[in-house]
Amino acid sequence: MPALSELTQQIQQQEATLREGGGASGQDRQRRLGRMTARKRLNELFDPGTPFRELGLWAAWQMYPEWGDVPAAGVVAGIGQVHGRSVMVVANDATVKAGAMFPQSVKKLLRAQRIAMTIRLPLVYLVDSSGVFLPLQDEIFPDEDDFGRIFRNNAVISAMGIPQYSAVMGNCVAGGAYLPVLSDTLLMTEGSQLYLAGPALVKAAIGQKVDPEELGGAKMHAEISGTVDYREPDDRACLQRLRSLIELLPNEPVASSRTRESSDRSLTTSAPERDPSELDTIVPGTERTEFDIHDVLACVIDADSLQEFRADYGHTIVTAFARIGGRAVGIVANQCQRCHSATGELQIGGVLYADSAEKAARFVMECNQTKVPIVFFQNVQGFMVGRQAEQSGIIRSGAKLVNVVSNSVVPKLTVVIGGSFGAGNYALCGKAYDPWLILAWPNAKYAVMGADQAADTLLTLRVRDAERGGRTLSDEDKKRLRDEIRQRYTDQTDIRYGAARGWVDAIIAPAETRDWLAMALSLIPEGTTRGEFHTGMMQM
């Protein structure tokens, strides 16, 4: 198994290829049309020298072999700065399948909208898309979290008072035309088209022959239909106009409080006790090798800020208050080495026992009581099983943790630093439990159980079924079956597989963990909650 540093390097090399989009041919096409590529547009839009925190880069990875590669699902999304203000940007990459929207493209856009709604970030859409990828329309069009949800979100986001800007900088056809028109401000460049039906469809539907510019060009929409607010000659002018409009946004109470809090905390912010680059040596690339989670936290949190909650109880979970970039947080982290309970019971690192689940549940409740954001560090094998665990009430204790995490109203940020298996994924704020941001390291694994356990379990079932059918599997057949099952599970637990499906927002280098968390926390005003904290019934 490669070391964590080697895994990180491999991921970064592959990400460099993903950022090339459709490659040289697609980029040449954009140049011939007098248009920039999506990433050049972002470079022009963002403040020089500021970071771009990209989300969903692995979306659609190896998911559509029948249709070829779809790098980053043909959409570039993430958080950047315009005149010092953080904004969420979603840009179609027309070098990839002419910017057509695949199922994962839609899922990625919806996730960007959801994050922007949660954190209340202004949204910028750079539209250059041929619309829905028609061969997969049945997976894109009708369901509650499909294409139509984008436009529903546009309307809801606008009603929430969160600014939305759309710039049509190429094609914008069919149902996709509603996105810019449902935004607050609409810009359009010369040579772009915006219409519900293109010339070919219009002719087929009503027999009318019409010129594309007359049908949906920038001049028509600016002078005749009145749809466009700003008509710009080219990409560069359009992006400069966008920058100017965003600069005009008033300093709302939320934004000004962010600035004030950041300034106040700068006096108390301190560097971490250990260099974040040490994470590559602290954490091995292999799943089962042990390490002390306190060493990981020392590379992430501000020095001398850790206050561990119930340190002498429930040792397989570390719960603590700390600061990251000066911001107070609660931490729930799996301890990744063997330990003993007060009664002498050996407890396996990364496994949730009744006492650790109870401790974590109590701590999550306290964070909600004091309105402190929670950061979860996942390296969890699941809940303990067996007679002793069941008699200790592991199901009841686990249900308490799931209950309070489900009903938690404070901001939740999740970092998967190793395994994320079974119900442990749920209890420690996996994707289904509404983390405001979910990140993963290159060594992370996602599955109901590990590959070896799955192979042994499924092989047992296969052997039993064969025996019931009057057949006996040879040792060679059993080995072949086990190897096949194990390989399939190994492929599916790869974090790139999960990232392709949107289970995490980004795969990050371990050394960047503190920077990502500090960025996210800086966007969330202190005391932010999503309503009042309540829990349902709990088995006591």
PDB file of all heavy atoms in Angstrom, residues 14 18 58-66 68-73 104 491 494 496-497 500-501:
ATOM      1  N   GLN A  14      -3.619  13.290 -11.190  1.00  0.00           N
ATOM      2  CA  GLN A  14      -4.861  12.999 -11.903  1.00  0.00           C
ATOM      3  C   GLN A  14      -5.772  14.234 -11.953  1.00  0.00           C
ATOM      4  O   GLN A  14      -6.463  14.474 -12.951  1.00  0.00           O
ATOM      5  CB  GLN A  14      -5.578  11.833 -11.240  1.00  0.00           C
ATOM      6  CG  GLN A  14      -4.844  10.510 -11.400  1.00  0.00           C
ATOM      7  CD  GLN A  14      -5.460   9.397 -10.579  1.00  0.00           C
ATOM      8  OE1 GLN A  14      -5.908   9.606  -9.451  1.00  0.00           O
ATOM      9  NE2 GLN A  14      -5.490   8.193 -11.128  1.00  0.00           N
ATOM     10  N   LEU A  18      -7.758  16.259 -15.006  1.00  0.00           N
ATOM     11  CA  LEU A  18      -9.181  16.602 -14.980  1.00  0.00           C
ATOM     12  C   LEU A  18      -9.393  18.081 -15.287  1.00  0.00           C
ATOM     13  O   LEU A  18     -10.372  18.456 -15.955  1.00  0.00           O
ATOM     14  CB  LEU A  18      -9.780  16.262 -13.618  1.00  0.00           C
ATOM     15  CG  LEU A  18      -9.918  14.779 -13.260  1.00  0.00           C
ATOM     16  CD1 LEU A  18     -10.390  14.614 -11.825  1.00  0.00           C
ATOM     17  CD2 LEU A  18     -10.883  14.085 -14.214  1.00  0.00           C
ATOM     18  N   TRP A  58     -13.998  15.644  -9.031  1.00  0.00           N
ATOM     19  CA  TRP A  58     -14.034  14.248  -9.460  1.00  0.00           C
ATOM     20  C   TRP A  58     -15.422  13.809  -9.926  1.00  0.00           C
ATOM     21  O   TRP A  58     -15.620  12.629 -10.244  1.00  0.00           O
ATOM     22  CB  TRP A  58     -13.571  13.352  -8.315  1.00  0.00           C
ATOM     23  CG  TRP A  58     -12.092  13.447  -8.075  1.00  0.00           C
ATOM     24  CD1 TRP A  58     -11.441  14.327  -7.262  1.00  0.00           C
ATOM     25  CD2 TRP A  58     -11.075  12.665  -8.690  1.00  0.00           C
ATOM     26  NE1 TRP A  58     -10.087  14.144  -7.329  1.00  0.00           N
ATOM     27  CE2 TRP A  58      -9.829  13.123  -8.189  1.00  0.00           C
ATOM     28  CE3 TRP A  58     -11.084  11.606  -9.598  1.00  0.00           C
ATOM     29  CZ2 TRP A  58      -8.614  12.557  -8.584  1.00  0.00           C
ATOM     30  CZ3 TRP A  58      -9.883  11.042  -9.988  1.00  0.00           C
ATOM     31  CH2 TRP A  58      -8.674  11.511  -9.487  1.00  0.00           C
ATOM     32  N   ALA A  59     -16.367  14.720  -9.986  1.00  0.00           N
ATOM     33  CA  ALA A  59     -17.723  14.354 -10.397  1.00  0.00           C
ATOM     34  C   ALA A  59     -17.713  13.637 -11.747  1.00  0.00           C
ATOM     35  O   ALA A  59     -17.038  14.072 -12.688  1.00  0.00           O
ATOM     36  CB  ALA A  59     -18.607  15.595 -10.474  1.00  0.00           C
ATOM     37  N   ALA A  60     -18.436  12.535 -11.825  1.00  0.00           N
ATOM     38  CA  ALA A  60     -18.638  11.748 -13.056  1.00  0.00           C
ATOM     39  C   ALA A  60     -17.422  10.931 -13.467  1.00  0.00           C
ATOM     40  O   ALA A  60     -17.433  10.311 -14.537  1.00  0.00           O
ATOM     41  CB  ALA A  60     -19.077  12.648 -14.213  1.00  0.00           C
ATOM     42  N   TRP A  61     -16.399  10.877 -12.625  1.00  0.00           N
ATOM     43  CA  TRP A  61     -15.186  10.128 -12.979  1.00  0.00           C
ATOM     44  C   TRP A  61     -15.518   8.659 -13.255  1.00  0.00           C
ATOM     45  O   TRP A  61     -16.081   7.969 -12.429  1.00  0.00           O
ATOM     46  CB  TRP A  61     -14.185  10.241 -11.834  1.00  0.00           C
ATOM     47  CG  TRP A  61     -12.902   9.491 -12.020  1.00  0.00           C
ATOM     48  CD1 TRP A  61     -11.884   9.789 -12.860  1.00  0.00           C
ATOM     49  CD2 TRP A  61     -12.501   8.297 -11.319  1.00  0.00           C
ATOM     50  NE1 TRP A  61     -10.871   8.867 -12.728  1.00  0.00           N
ATOM     51  CE2 TRP A  61     -11.216   7.941 -11.792  1.00  0.00           C
ATOM     52  CE3 TRP A  61     -13.102   7.511 -10.326  1.00  0.00           C
ATOM     53  CZ2 TRP A  61     -10.523   6.833 -11.311  1.00  0.00           C
ATOM     54  CZ3 TRP A  61     -12.415   6.398  -9.853  1.00  0.00           C
ATOM     55  CH2 TRP A  61     -11.149   6.063 -10.346  1.00  0.00           C
ATOM     56  N   GLN A  62     -15.213   8.209 -14.485  1.00  0.00           N
ATOM     57  CA  GLN A  62     -15.410   6.827 -14.937  1.00  0.00           C
ATOM     58  C   GLN A  62     -16.854   6.353 -14.828  1.00  0.00           C
ATOM     59  O   GLN A  62     -17.108   5.155 -14.763  1.00  0.00           O
ATOM     60  CB  GLN A  62     -14.485   5.875 -14.158  1.00  0.00           C
ATOM     61  CG  GLN A  62     -13.005   6.116 -14.410  1.00  0.00           C
ATOM     62  CD  GLN A  62     -12.117   5.066 -13.783  1.00  0.00           C
ATOM     63  OE1 GLN A  62     -12.557   4.226 -13.003  1.00  0.00           O
ATOM     64  NE2 GLN A  62     -10.827   5.090 -14.122  1.00  0.00           N
ATOM     65  N   MET A  63     -17.798   7.272 -14.844  1.00  0.00           N
ATOM     66  CA  MET A  63     -19.197   6.881 -14.664  1.00  0.00           C
ATOM     67  C   MET A  63     -19.954   6.660 -15.964  1.00  0.00           C
ATOM     68  O   MET A  63     -21.017   6.020 -15.963  1.00  0.00           O
ATOM     69  CB  MET A  63     -19.930   7.936 -13.825  1.00  0.00           C
ATOM     70  CG  MET A  63     -19.583   7.891 -12.346  1.00  0.00           C
ATOM     71  SD  MET A  63     -20.630   8.970 -11.344  1.00  0.00           S
ATOM     72  CE  MET A  63     -22.232   8.154 -11.491  1.00  0.00           C
ATOM     73  N   TYR A  64     -19.449   7.179 -17.077  1.00  0.00           N
ATOM     74  CA  TYR A  64     -20.178   7.081 -18.344  1.00  0.00           C
ATOM     75  C   TYR A  64     -19.297   6.495 -19.441  1.00  0.00           C
ATOM     76  O   TYR A  64     -19.040   7.145 -20.461  1.00  0.00           O
ATOM     77  CB  TYR A  64     -20.710   8.466 -18.751  1.00  0.00           C
ATOM     78  CG  TYR A  64     -21.541   9.130 -17.675  1.00  0.00           C
ATOM     79  CD1 TYR A  64     -21.069  10.237 -16.988  1.00  0.00           C
ATOM     80  CD2 TYR A  64     -22.791   8.621 -17.336  1.00  0.00           C
ATOM     81  CE1 TYR A  64     -21.831  10.840 -15.985  1.00  0.00           C
ATOM     82  CE2 TYR A  64     -23.555   9.221 -16.338  1.00  0.00           C
ATOM     83  CZ  TYR A  64     -23.070  10.324 -15.670  1.00  0.00           C
ATOM     84  OH  TYR A  64     -23.821  10.915 -14.683  1.00  0.00           O
ATOM     85  N   PRO A  65     -18.810   5.267 -19.263  1.00  0.00           N
ATOM     86  CA  PRO A  65     -17.889   4.687 -20.255  1.00  0.00           C
ATOM     87  C   PRO A  65     -18.492   4.603 -21.652  1.00  0.00           C
ATOM     88  O   PRO A  65     -17.768   4.701 -22.650  1.00  0.00           O
ATOM     89  CB  PRO A  65     -17.590   3.295 -19.683  1.00  0.00           C
ATOM     90  CG  PRO A  65     -18.710   2.998 -18.727  1.00  0.00           C
ATOM     91  CD  PRO A  65     -19.103   4.330 -18.156  1.00  0.00           C
ATOM     92  N   GLU A  66     -19.807   4.443 -21.733  1.00  0.00           N
ATOM     93  CA  GLU A  66     -20.452   4.345 -23.044  1.00  0.00           C
ATOM     94  C   GLU A  66     -20.328   5.643 -23.840  1.00  0.00           C
ATOM     95  O   GLU A  66     -20.307   5.636 -25.074  1.00  0.00           O
ATOM     96  CB  GLU A  66     -21.928   3.990 -22.864  1.00  0.00           C
ATOM     97  CG  GLU A  66     -22.690   3.807 -24.168  1.00  0.00           C
ATOM     98  CD  GLU A  66     -24.147   3.451 -23.938  1.00  0.00           C
ATOM     99  OE1 GLU A  66     -24.540   3.265 -22.767  1.00  0.00           O
ATOM    100  OE2 GLU A  66     -24.889   3.367 -24.936  1.00  0.00           O
ATOM    101  N   GLY A  68     -17.845   8.073 -23.163  1.00  0.00           N
ATOM    102  CA  GLY A  68     -16.510   8.654 -23.076  1.00  0.00           C
ATOM    103  C   GLY A  68     -16.310   9.441 -21.787  1.00  0.00           C
ATOM    104  O   GLY A  68     -17.197   9.527 -20.934  1.00  0.00           O
ATOM    105  N   ASP A  69     -15.133  10.014 -21.640  1.00  0.00           N
ATOM    106  CA  ASP A  69     -14.816  10.770 -20.426  1.00  0.00           C
ATOM    107  C   ASP A  69     -15.656  12.043 -20.333  1.00  0.00           C
ATOM    108  O   ASP A  69     -15.918  12.706 -21.342  1.00  0.00           O
ATOM    109  CB  ASP A  69     -13.332  11.163 -20.414  1.00  0.00           C
ATOM    110  CG  ASP A  69     -12.420   9.951 -20.229  1.00  0.00           C
ATOM    111  OD1 ASP A  69     -12.893   8.940 -19.682  1.00  0.00           O
ATOM    112  OD2 ASP A  69     -11.251  10.021 -20.643  1.00  0.00           O
ATOM    113  N   VAL A  70     -16.047  12.364 -19.107  1.00  0.00           N
ATOM    114  CA  VAL A  70     -16.780  13.610 -18.836  1.00  0.00           C
ATOM    115  C   VAL A  70     -16.067  14.292 -17.662  1.00  0.00           C
ATOM    116  O   VAL A  70     -16.568  14.299 -16.528  1.00  0.00           O
ATOM    117  CB  VAL A  70     -18.267  13.342 -18.498  1.00  0.00           C
ATOM    118  CG1 VAL A  70     -19.046  14.661 -18.445  1.00  0.00           C
ATOM    119  CG2 VAL A  70     -18.899  12.398 -19.503  1.00  0.00           C
ATOM    120  N   PRO A  71     -14.883  14.875 -17.898  1.00  0.00           N
ATOM    121  CA  PRO A  71     -14.096  15.426 -16.787  1.00  0.00           C
ATOM    122  C   PRO A  71     -14.867  16.458 -15.971  1.00  0.00           C
ATOM    123  O   PRO A  71     -15.470  17.385 -16.522  1.00  0.00           O
ATOM    124  CB  PRO A  71     -12.896  16.074 -17.500  1.00  0.00           C
ATOM    125  CG  PRO A  71     -12.802  15.369 -18.810  1.00  0.00           C
ATOM    126  CD  PRO A  71     -14.208  15.046 -19.197  1.00  0.00           C
ATOM    127  N   ALA A  72     -14.858  16.267 -14.654  1.00  0.00           N
ATOM    128  CA  ALA A  72     -15.521  17.169 -13.703  1.00  0.00           C
ATOM    129  C   ALA A  72     -16.994  17.359 -14.028  1.00  0.00           C
ATOM    130  O   ALA A  72     -17.599  18.360 -13.648  1.00  0.00           O
ATOM    131  CB  ALA A  72     -14.814  18.520 -13.667  1.00  0.00           C
ATOM    132  N   ALA A  73     -17.585  16.382 -14.727  1.00  0.00           N
ATOM    133  CA  ALA A  73     -18.998  16.424 -15.136  1.00  0.00           C
ATOM    134  C   ALA A  73     -19.299  17.619 -16.039  1.00  0.00           C
ATOM    135  O   ALA A  73     -20.446  18.030 -16.176  1.00  0.00           O
ATOM    136  CB  ALA A  73     -19.930  16.426 -13.921  1.00  0.00           C
ATOM    137  N   GLN A 104     -24.653  13.621 -13.285  1.00  0.00           N
ATOM    138  CA  GLN A 104     -23.752  14.106 -12.249  1.00  0.00           C
ATOM    139  C   GLN A 104     -23.482  15.604 -12.367  1.00  0.00           C
ATOM    140  O   GLN A 104     -23.144  16.241 -11.374  1.00  0.00           O
ATOM    141  CB  GLN A 104     -22.438  13.327 -12.268  1.00  0.00           C
ATOM    142  CG  GLN A 104     -22.562  11.908 -11.731  1.00  0.00           C
ATOM    143  CD  GLN A 104     -23.146  11.831 -10.337  1.00  0.00           C
ATOM    144  OE1 GLN A 104     -24.181  11.205 -10.119  1.00  0.00           O
ATOM    145  NE2 GLN A 104     -22.500  12.457  -9.378  1.00  0.00           N
ATOM    146  N   ASP A 491     -12.590  -1.587  -5.537  1.00  0.00           N
ATOM    147  CA  ASP A 491     -12.827  -0.509  -6.510  1.00  0.00           C
ATOM    148  C   ASP A 491     -13.876   0.468  -5.999  1.00  0.00           C
ATOM    149  O   ASP A 491     -13.747   1.692  -6.159  1.00  0.00           O
ATOM    150  CB  ASP A 491     -13.283  -1.094  -7.853  1.00  0.00           C
ATOM    151  CG  ASP A 491     -12.183  -1.891  -8.553  1.00  0.00           C
ATOM    152  OD1 ASP A 491     -11.003  -1.705  -8.194  1.00  0.00           O
ATOM    153  OD2 ASP A 491     -12.516  -2.695  -9.447  1.00  0.00           O
ATOM    154  N   ASP A 494     -12.759   2.935  -3.103  1.00  0.00           N
ATOM    155  CA  ASP A 494     -11.825   3.997  -3.504  1.00  0.00           C
ATOM    156  C   ASP A 494     -12.533   5.348  -3.397  1.00  0.00           C
ATOM    157  O   ASP A 494     -13.645   5.523  -3.891  1.00  0.00           O
ATOM    158  CB  ASP A 494     -11.376   3.742  -4.955  1.00  0.00           C
ATOM    159  CG  ASP A 494     -10.251   4.652  -5.402  1.00  0.00           C
ATOM    160  OD1 ASP A 494     -10.321   5.871  -5.144  1.00  0.00           O
ATOM    161  OD2 ASP A 494      -9.308   4.150  -6.026  1.00  0.00           O
ATOM    162  N   ARG A 496     -12.167   8.017  -4.905  1.00  0.00           N
ATOM    163  CA  ARG A 496     -12.506   8.627  -6.203  1.00  0.00           C
ATOM    164  C   ARG A 496     -13.864   8.137  -6.692  1.00  0.00           C
ATOM    165  O   ARG A 496     -14.604   8.892  -7.342  1.00  0.00           O
ATOM    166  CB  ARG A 496     -11.407   8.320  -7.227  1.00  0.00           C
ATOM    167  CG  ARG A 496     -10.060   8.948  -6.906  1.00  0.00           C
ATOM    168  CD  ARG A 496      -8.956   8.423  -7.786  1.00  0.00           C
ATOM    169  NE  ARG A 496      -8.759   6.984  -7.564  1.00  0.00           N
ATOM    170  CZ  ARG A 496      -7.853   6.252  -8.210  1.00  0.00           C
ATOM    171  NH1 ARG A 496      -7.063   6.829  -9.109  1.00  0.00           N
ATOM    172  NH2 ARG A 496      -7.735   4.968  -7.960  1.00  0.00           N
ATOM    173  N   TYR A 497     -14.187   6.900  -6.397  1.00  0.00           N
ATOM    174  CA  TYR A 497     -15.496   6.352  -6.741  1.00  0.00           C
ATOM    175  C   TYR A 497     -16.588   7.143  -6.018  1.00  0.00           C
ATOM    176  O   TYR A 497     -17.606   7.527  -6.609  1.00  0.00           O
ATOM    177  CB  TYR A 497     -15.533   4.875  -6.345  1.00  0.00           C
ATOM    178  CG  TYR A 497     -16.799   4.126  -6.716  1.00  0.00           C
ATOM    179  CD1 TYR A 497     -16.862   3.381  -7.884  1.00  0.00           C
ATOM    180  CD2 TYR A 497     -17.914   4.138  -5.878  1.00  0.00           C
ATOM    181  CE1 TYR A 497     -18.005   2.675  -8.226  1.00  0.00           C
ATOM    182  CE2 TYR A 497     -19.062   3.428  -6.208  1.00  0.00           C
ATOM    183  CZ  TYR A 497     -19.110   2.703  -7.378  1.00  0.00           C
ATOM    184  OH  TYR A 497     -20.259   2.006  -7.714  1.00  0.00           O
ATOM    185  N   ALA A 500     -16.786  10.791  -7.334  1.00  0.00           N
ATOM    186  CA  ALA A 500     -17.451  10.850  -8.642  1.00  0.00           C
ATOM    187  C   ALA A 500     -18.957  10.943  -8.481  1.00  0.00           C
ATOM    188  O   ALA A 500     -19.642  11.567  -9.291  1.00  0.00           O
ATOM    189  CB  ALA A 500     -17.092   9.613  -9.469  1.00  0.00           C
ATOM    190  N   ARG A 501     -19.473  10.357  -7.416  1.00  0.00           N
ATOM    191  CA  ARG A 501     -20.919  10.318  -7.173  1.00  0.00           C
ATOM    192  C   ARG A 501     -21.393  11.400  -6.215  1.00  0.00           C
ATOM    193  O   ARG A 501     -22.545  11.400  -5.799  1.00  0.00           O
ATOM    194  CB  ARG A 501     -21.287   8.916  -6.654  1.00  0.00           C
ATOM    195  CG  ARG A 501     -21.190   7.881  -7.753  1.00  0.00           C
ATOM    196  CD  ARG A 501     -20.932   6.471  -7.270  1.00  0.00           C
ATOM    197  NE  ARG A 501     -20.871   5.562  -8.435  1.00  0.00           N
ATOM    198  CZ  ARG A 501     -19.816   5.443  -9.231  1.00  0.00           C
ATOM    199  NH1 ARG A 501     -18.708   6.133  -9.003  1.00  0.00           N
ATOM    200  NH2 ARG A 501     -19.850   4.635 -10.272  1.00  0.00           N
TER     201      ARG A 501
END
